[in-house]
Amino acid sequence: MDENLLERYSRQILFGEIGEAGQRRLLDSSAVLVGCGALGTALANLLVRAGVGRLRIVDRDFVEPSNLQRQTLFEEADARESLPKSVAAERRLRAINSSVSVEGIVADLSPRNVHELLSGFSLILDGTDNFETRFLLNDAAIELNLPWIYAAVVASYGVTLTVRPGKTACLACALDSDDAGGQESTQTRPAEDTCDTVGVLGPAAGVIASIEAAEAMKLLLGKTESSGDRLISFDVWTGRFQSVLVTRNLECRACVRREFRYLGGQAQPRLTMCGRDSVQIHERSRELDLTALGRRLASTVTELRENGFLLRFRVPPPTK
């Protein structure tokens, strides 16, 4: 390791559990982060500063003003330009640490592309905002035999669980069960509040991202003796902390029976309610040419903007 890198990571190297050998291992490691919102930006920032050598960020959303309160990698200019979050994050992270590789991919993770996007990395990280994608990550991680870390934050509360396939409980062990019809039981699923319905505090995302980053570093360093088995939660408003032992479900449909319902696409929704009176439509059967679409719409809409990733416009009210 050259002198510049030794100086850059000197305080981390002084930590006995890492040392110079551990820092070299981090620089040779890789992780893929799915989702780049409040959790994802805080997590990516910590890992890139720590020297994780290669980080891929997958997110199809774009930056808007309401993100700036908690999504720490973004600036007002990113929101004005409606930049994709993965693109804006890549630019910022490369400026923070030019000695590591950061790759932003504008994509919506799906059963069709999950292997392409996740394969070839040592660790999968959760920065998503819905349980369909999280159960898809769980299925894929088990099939690929890759460790992954589940994390979620809403309001002032957050939770995280480290999963090592075949060694610890998986997300389906903790939160999923089969009813008589073979579908997920909503009684064991957490309430799916979102930041659009109950809000979210930046400090809550920061706490959970810090725990997730520490777990990620332990896994990448091979320090697995204290990773997994516990669902950790923290509420920054009440100060309540919990660490609950989660044991493997010996009849788990994912890690025991290897029934990858989400990976197979059977459980993927076609429509997702996203708040703000909006609906996300998952179109996967055809490619969209935004420039051509913009030209077709130009005569009928106003305030049309297109940046290569996103087409925005306003539909004027009908004339009487």
Side-chain angles (χ1 to χ4, degrees):
M1 190 182 303
D2 65 39
E3 290 298 321
N4 289 333
L5 290 181
L6 280 172
E7 172 61 23
R8 181 180 191 115
Y9 303 115
S10 60
R11 302 305 184 270
Q12 189 163 277
I13 289 171
L14 286 172
F15 180 59
E17 293 289 338
I18 296 180
E20 188 173 338
Q23 189 61 58
R24 291 180 187 276
R25 184 162 179 167
L26 283 178
L27 289 166
D28 290 335
S29 69
S30 63
V32 54
L33 168 63
V34 182
C36 197
L39 266 175
T41 52
L43 178 60
N45 184 37
L46 288 167
L47 294 180
V48 164
R49 289 181 185 275
V52 171
R54 183 164 68 104
L55 180 67
R56 171 179 286 176
I57 300 171
V58 181
D59 195 301
R60 54 91 188 145
D61 204 359
F62 58 91
V63 184
E64 43 190 352
S66 66
N67 301 148
L68 302 179
Q69 159 257 340
R70 66 197 179 280
Q71 299 182 15
T72 54
L73 289 179
F74 306 137
E75 301 175 349
E76 290 179 354
D78 300 323
R80 284 196 300 270
E81 297 175 30
S82 298
L83 282 181
K85 291 180 179 180
S86 55
V87 172
E90 177 187 319
R91 292 179 183 178
R92 182 72 181 278
L93 292 167
R94 286 187 173 188
I96 288 171
N97 191 347
S98 61
S99 67
V100 302
S101 171
V102 181
E103 177 190 22
I105 294 182
V106 184
D108 196 9
L109 194 76
S110 71
R112 190 173 67 177
N113 63 15
V114 65
H115 289 100
E116 175 188 355
L117 292 176
L118 302 185
S119 296
F121 290 85
S122 306
L123 176 64
I124 301 169
L125 300 167
D126 178 15
T128 66
D129 61 2
N130 67 86
F131 276 94
E132 285 76 22
T133 304
R134 290 179 179 122
F135 281 116
L136 173 60
L137 287 176
N138 190 68
D139 280 4
I142 293 168
E143 187 189 59
L144 295 169
N145 195 31
L146 289 175
W148 81 285
I149 305 176
Y150 153 69
V153 172
V154 69
S156 61
Y157 172 84
V159 62
T160 183
L161 172 70
T162 297
V163 176
R164 292 186 291 138
K167 298 180 176 66
T168 69
C170 74
L171 187 65
C173 290
L175 301 178
D176 190 9
S177 68
D178 290 342
D179 60 21
Q183 299 298 318
E184 293 76 26
S185 169
T186 57
Q187 295 180 356
T188 61
R189 295 277 294 277
E192 294 192 37
D193 291 329
T194 72
C195 61
D196 290 313
T197 60
V198 298
V200 62
L201 296 182
V207 168
I208 298 302
S210 294
I211 296 172
E212 190 176 2
E215 287 291 303
M217 292 173 69
K218 285 192 287 185
L219 290 172
L220 294 173
L221 289 167
K223 309 277 186 177
T224 58
E225 62 277 359
S226 60
S227 293
D229 295 333
R230 290 193 171 272
L231 187 71
I232 298 171
S233 64
F234 190 72
D235 190 315
V236 299
W237 202 256
T238 65
R240 184 182 183 188
F241 175 87
Q242 284 187 308
S243 178
V244 179
L245 180 66
V246 181
T247 57
R248 292 190 70 192
N249 176 359
L250 298 182
E251 296 183 358
C252 176
R253 62 98 185 153
C255 66
V256 176
R257 302 203 306 267
R258 301 184 70 82
E259 295 173 4
F260 300 135
R261 185 176 304 139
Y262 288 80
L263 192 58
Q266 297 98 322
Q268 282 294 102
R270 300 303 295 177
L271 296 177
T272 303
M273 297 304 299
C274 300
R276 298 189 306 276
D277 297 320
S278 63
V279 174
Q280 177 185 342
I281 301 175
H282 298 263
E283 173 57 71
R284 300 189 177 109
S285 61
R286 55 184 174 177
E287 297 295 326
L288 293 177
D289 185 332
L290 297 181
T291 301
L293 183 58
R295 286 198 296 265
R296 290 171 55 191
L297 293 171
S299 61
T300 59
V301 301
T302 62
E303 301 180 34
L304 189 147
R305 294 174 55 196
E306 188 258 319
N307 63 9
F309 303 98
L310 174 75
L311 182 67
R312 301 187 72 173
F313 55 85
R314 290 186 181 276
V315 178
T319 56
K320 293 183 179 180

